[in-house]
């Protein structure tokens, strides 16, 4: 879905397929999609300790196993944690769990 949105925004040509992407482009799109997914989760996940980084890591590794390139060969749990930590920090800085009760 992320790739299709970028095609619609004319960032990638419509005739491109995922296989046409460079490793760095595929990794960027995948991490962007993961961040989009993370933001759709309930705020309570960020207010408490959770294994969301591990889940994201495993999801990306599963996606990687279906790809022809080697963009994810060296993808680590630490990289997944780096995606999650700024979002967790954002939720912690901008209020307590009650502020996001309507999330």
């Amino acid at each position: 879905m992320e790739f299709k949105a970028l095609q619609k925004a004319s960032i990638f040509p419509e005739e491109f397929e995922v296989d046409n992407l460079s490793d760095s482009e595929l990794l960027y799109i995948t991490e962007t999609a993961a961040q989009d997914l993370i933001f759709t989760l309930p705020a309570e996940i960020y207010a408490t300790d959770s294994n969301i980084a591990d889940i994201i890591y495993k999801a990306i590794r599963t996606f990687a196993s279906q790809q022809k390139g080697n963009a994810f060969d060296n993808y680590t749990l630490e990289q997944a944690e780096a995606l999650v930590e700024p979002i967790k920090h954002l939720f912690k800085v901008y209020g307590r769990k009650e502020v996001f009760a309507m999330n």
Side-chain angles (χ1 to χ4, degrees), residues 51-89:
N51 64 340
I52 189 64
D54 190 50
I55 292 168
I56 295 298
Y57 169 73
K58 288 176 181 175
I60 289 175
R61 295 298 296 173
T62 299
F63 174 72
S65 70
Q66 301 167 8
Q67 303 308 307
K68 294 179 183 174
N70 57 357
F72 305 97
D73 285 354
N74 299 317
Y75 197 80
T76 64
L77 177 58
E78 289 76 23
Q79 286 173 282
E81 288 171 347
L83 289 176
V84 175
E85 284 307 313
I87 299 169
K88 287 172 92 171
H89 179 73

Side-chain angles (χ1 to χ4, degrees), residues 86-101:
I87 299 169
K88 287 172 92 171
H89 179 73
L90 178 73
F91 277 90
K92 287 177 183 176
V93 167
Y94 285 100
R96 296 192 173 128
K97 202 163 68 169
E98 296 83 27
V99 173
F100 300 102

Side-chain angles (χ1 to χ4, degrees), residues 10-37:
S10 299
I11 295 172
F12 289 104
E14 290 287 331
E15 61 273 5
F16 261 42
E17 297 292 330
V18 172
D19 292 341
N20 300 116
L21 298 173
S22 70
D23 286 350
S24 62
E25 290 169 332
L26 182 59
L27 182 60
Y28 174 78
I29 290 171
T30 303
E31 286 188 326
T32 301
Q35 286 178 327
D36 289 348
L37 175 67

